[in-house]
Amino acid sequence: MLWLPLFLLIVFATIQATFAELGVVRYGFLALLAHTFILLYFFHDHPLTWILYILTIQMWALFVVTIFRRNKWREGHLQ
């Protein structure tokens, strides 16, 4: 029964990627934080949780890249 947490991951990753594309970091962070807490609280005993943890780490990496991309865009825009 991996479909429910996987569907949850797809929804939150889409929300995060949309706000990352727009350059709004705070809403992407809130979506990522909500996804992480839901994953840790509701699906911690799932037999395939390690797959979801790997995908969640990728979402955290997207968040970090979004922060650096946003700052680089501001630096280039001000010059």
Side-chain angles (χ1 to χ4, degrees):
M1 189 147 156
L2 185 64
W3 65 269
L4 184 60
L6 196 57
F7 179 72
L8 179 77
L9 179 88
I10 290 170
V11 168
F12 279 105
T14 303
I15 292 169
Q16 184 193 14
T18 301
F19 284 117
E21 184 68 28
L22 295 174
V24 182
V25 178
R26 75 188 102 170
Y27 297 128
F29 176 69
L30 289 176
L32 178 62
L33 200 60
H35 166 73
T36 303
F37 284 136
I38 290 171
L39 180 68
L40 291 175
Y41 186 73
F42 291 108
F43 300 109
H44 62 87
D45 58 346
H46 197 278
L48 296 175
T49 305
W50 61 274
I51 296 172
L52 300 171
Y53 287 153
I54 291 172
L55 295 173
T56 303
I57 290 169
Q58 290 178 352
M59 287 176 62
W60 278 102
L62 175 66
F63 171 71
V64 171
V65 168
T66 302
I67 290 175
F68 287 119
R69 178 176 170 229
R70 179 175 180 231
N71 290 337
K72 290 295 182 183
W73 177 81
R74 283 184 176 178
E75 291 171 5
H77 184 64
L78 294 176
Q79 291 179 354

